Amino acid sequence: MSAFDCVIVGGGIVGAALADALSAGGLSVALVEARSIGTGTTACGMGHLVAMDDNAAELALTSWSVSLWRELRDGLPRTVEYDACGTLWLAADDEEMAAVHTKVANYRAAGIRAEVLDSAALYEAEPSLAPGLVGALRVPDDAVLYPPVAARTFALRAEARGARLMTGCPVRELRPGGVVLANGDVLAARHVVLAAGVASPALCPELPISPRKGHLLITGRGAPVVHHQLVELGYLKSAHGTEGASVAFNAQPRVTGQLLLGSSRQPGEGSREVDAAILERMLKRAAVFLPGLDGLQALRVWTGLRPASPDGLPLLGPHPEKPWLWLACGHEGLGITTATGSARLVADQMLGRVSAIDPSPYSPSRFLAATSRGVAHA
């Protein structure tokens, strides 16, 4: 039996970032992953680092996380492909332009740089866009990167401090004092962290996490040149939807000269098969904003299952009825952005440190205490 201060179950970018944070805090750590580091949901993400302002808690976590990524960027290997391209939120009409002004006020109140572009300034910044857009919001400190390599970078930093990386090791059971692997081996630990994304409910059935399927496509070289991550403001309507499939325009420039295109959402869909109808809708939507996509070769199409919580915020902190179990899951489509902040929040709580932001909006007790009482009274 091996003994650690903490065993982290799940080697996606959140688990890997947590291994980095906890090992830096002096804990002995094991990072246990069923496959390879960063090859699950992390490898299926767009890799955007974006400040989002759907609510105050989301804005606090995303903006802090993006700032933590900026602190790391000079030490990241080139293969992480960190690109401080910024984000343009595109307004197609006056109603969406009004939303731009609301968002810029939210960002500035939170200390985030943001500026309003009128139509002329927008087309000067991005000449490849289709005509007719009325303006945009630019958030210059947003960025994009290549998620699986970022996850491996965190894991290797932890390993260099003595953390044990265990890949190809499915976990069969979580229990007080450690975890049981599928082969029957036991890893003893004072703390166990569940960071297994959509697989988390299989090990902790009371978790209110469900899959949201998304499609992505990467083009060949020769794509229309764009300089920012481009997102239509209608993306927010898609992101907030809880029923039915939806698509929205989201494009990222890659350092390879390709374009990464999203996005789609299919709540509750657990299949990883590519849905041709959804993909067609997504591409038609993208062509509305970038006409130069017509005839461009798609190099690869894939899907990912994002772990969604009922309120769109992750669960970060101790399980209210299992004090030995900590949770770092339910990030849906913001796991790459918030990996840094999520890791810090959990590490700060575990190590008794004061965090830079209030951890209470992300506490698992907002769901699990009520669920447990409901079971008890059933």
Side-chain angles (χ1 to χ4, degrees), residues 48-51 62-63 65-71 73 82-88 107 111-115 137-144 228-229 337:
H48 46 213
L49 310 179
V50 293
T62 57
S63 62
S65 298
V66 170
S67 70
L68 292 172
W69 277 111
R70 277 201 306 277
E71 292 174 10
R73 65 179 177 182
Y82 183 101
D83 180 4
C85 59
T87 299
L88 285 182
Y107 286 138
I112 301 166
R113 293 198 299 155
E115 58 183 329
L137 168 70
R138 177 155 56 190
V139 185
D141 290 330
D142 285 353
V144 300
H228 301 78
Q229 173 174 225
T337 293

Side-chain angles (χ1 to χ4, degrees), residues 167-295:
T167 57
C169 295
V171 171
R172 187 174 74 199
E173 179 187 354
L174 313 178
R175 65 187 189 189
V179 305
V180 182
L181 303 182
N183 64 5
D185 289 350
V186 174
L187 299 179
R190 185 157 50 99
H191 304 294
V192 174
V193 181
L194 182 56
V198 291
S200 296
L203 292 168
C204 188
E206 64 268 34
L207 289 181
I209 293 174
S210 61
R212 273 193 173 188
K213 181 177 177 179
H215 286 69
L216 292 175
L217 178 151
I218 192 159
T219 72
R221 291 182 173 85
V225 174
V226 301
H227 307 284
H228 301 78
Q229 173 174 225
L230 304 174
V231 194
E232 66 164 305
L233 276 162
Y235 176 92
L236 299 176
K237 300 171 188 173
S238 168
H240 294 162
T242 57
E243 296 182 0
S246 62
V247 301
F249 171 61
N250 185 180
Q252 290 180 359
R254 307 305 298 189
V255 296
T256 54
Q258 300 164 283
L259 272 181
L260 180 59
L261 298 176
S263 67
S264 67
R265 283 181 167 81
Q266 293 171 271
E269 176 58 59
S271 163
R272 298 178 188 274
E273 296 295 318
V274 172
D275 184 324
I278 290 292
L279 184 62
E280 182 179 9
R281 284 176 58 188
M282 195 177 83
L283 290 176
K284 284 183 176 177
R285 190 65 186 165
V288 168
F289 289 86
L290 275 179
L293 292 173
D294 294 342

Side-chain angles (χ1 to χ4, degrees), residues 355-376:
S355 290
I357 65 171
D358 177 9
S360 61
Y362 325 100
S363 171
S365 64
R366 70 191 192 278
F367 298 123
L368 297 181
T371 300
S372 299
R373 282 196 297 271
V375 170

Side-chain angles (χ1 to χ4, degrees), residues 2-350:
S2 300
F4 302 90
D5 292 324
C6 181
V7 170
I8 302 167
V9 179
I13 196 163
V14 173
L18 184 57
D20 184 34
L22 290 177
S23 63
L27 298 192
S28 61
V29 174
L31 178 61
V32 186
E33 164 59 38
R35 295 185 288 183
S36 299
I37 299 297
T39 56
T41 295
T42 294
C44 302
M46 290 193 76
H48 46 213
L49 310 179
V50 293
M52 297 282 285
D53 66 332
D54 293 348
N55 54 64
E58 182 183 69
L59 182 57
L61 182 58
T62 57
S63 62
W64 182 42
S65 298
V66 170
S67 70
L68 292 172
W69 277 111
R70 277 201 306 277
E71 292 174 10
L72 292 171
R73 65 179 177 182
D74 290 341
L76 295 174
R78 290 173 60 87
T79 49
V80 171
E81 298 180 7
Y82 183 101
D83 180 4
C85 59
T87 299
L88 285 182
W89 292 90
L90 306 174
D93 53 33
D94 290 341
E95 180 183 3
E96 292 186 354
M97 200 62 194
V100 163
H101 290 283
T102 300
K103 287 177 72 67
V104 77
N106 289 341
Y107 286 138
R108 288 175 178 172
I112 301 166
R113 293 198 299 155
E115 58 183 329
V116 177
L117 304 186
D118 62 17
S119 182
L122 170 59
Y123 287 105
E124 182 178 352
E126 295 290 357
S128 297
L129 285 168
L133 298 170
V134 300
L137 168 70
R138 177 155 56 190
V139 185
D141 290 330
D142 285 353
V144 300
L145 52 67
Y146 187 42
V149 178
R152 286 198 291 275
T153 299
F154 283 134
L156 292 175
R157 282 162 52 113
E159 186 178 46
R161 298 190 197 97
R164 184 175 175 187
L165 307 187
M166 302 178 67
T167 57
C169 295
V171 171
R172 187 174 74 199
E173 179 187 354
L174 313 178
R175 65 187 189 189
V179 305
V180 182
L181 303 182
N183 64 5
D185 289 350
V186 174
L187 299 179
R190 185 157 50 99
H191 304 294
V192 174
V193 181
L194 182 56
V198 291
S200 296
L203 292 168
C204 188
E206 64 268 34
L207 289 181
I209 293 174
S210 61
R212 273 193 173 188
K213 181 177 177 179
H215 286 69
L216 292 175
L217 178 151
I218 192 159
T219 72
R221 291 182 173 85
V225 174
V226 301
H227 307 284
H228 301 78
Q229 173 174 225
L230 304 174
V231 194
E232 66 164 305
L233 276 162
Y235 176 92
L236 299 176
K237 300 171 188 173
S238 168
H240 294 162
T242 57
E243 296 182 0
S246 62
V247 301
F249 171 61
N250 185 180
Q252 290 180 359
R254 307 305 298 189
V255 296
T256 54
Q258 300 164 283
L259 272 181
L260 180 59
L261 298 176
S263 67
S264 67
R265 283 181 167 81
Q266 293 171 271
E269 176 58 59
S271 163
R272 298 178 188 274
E273 296 295 318
V274 172
D275 184 324
I278 290 292
L279 184 62
E280 182 179 9
R281 284 176 58 188
M282 195 177 83
L283 290 176
K284 284 183 176 177
R285 190 65 186 165
V288 168
F289 289 86
L290 275 179
L293 292 173
D294 294 342
L296 193 64
Q297 183 181 20
L299 201 63
R300 182 183 167 225
V301 178
W302 68 99
T303 68
L305 303 180
R306 288 72 195 247
S309 74
D311 64 2
L313 295 174
L315 287 74
L316 303 171
H319 190 299
E321 295 189 347
K322 300 174 182 176
W324 50 273
L325 178 60
W326 294 70
L327 301 171
C329 46
H331 293 75
E332 215 230 309
L334 288 172
I336 310 302
T337 293
T338 62
T340 48
S342 296
R344 279 283 196 89
L345 275 181
V346 173
D348 287 346
Q349 292 177 77
M350 194 178 289

